[in-house]
Amino acid sequence: MGLFDSARVPAGVALIIVGSLLLVPGMFPNSAQIFTLALVLGAALLTYGTWLVGTSEGSPTV
C-alpha cells in the first residue's frame, strides 16, 4: 500500500504545510499580536495534519 493510497494523506500533508506556514510570521521579533495568535492555529493544524498522516495506514500508530 502506497503512501498516497488513502484520502487522509493528501489532506494531512496540506494541513502540515499550512500549519507550518502559519508558524513562520510569529517567529520574528516584534511581530504583531495577530501573528502571535496565529501560532496557536498553526500548531493545531500541524498537529492534526500529522495525526491524519500517521493514522492513515491500517497498522498500529507509532
Side-chain angles (χ1 to χ4, degrees):
M1 190 171 209
L3 179 63
F4 291 104
D5 288 343
S6 173
R8 296 173 75 172
V9 174
V13 170
L15 288 175
I16 289 171
I17 291 170
V18 171
S20 298
L21 290 175
L22 281 173
L23 294 176
V24 173
M27 292 188 300
F28 297 111
N30 299 326
S31 61
Q33 181 69 28
I34 190 73
F35 292 128
T36 304
L37 296 175
L39 290 172
V40 175
L41 179 60
L45 290 177
L46 188 60
T47 302
Y48 187 61
T50 304
W51 178 78
L52 281 177
V53 172
T55 59
S56 63
E57 296 291 322
S59 61
T61 306
V62 178

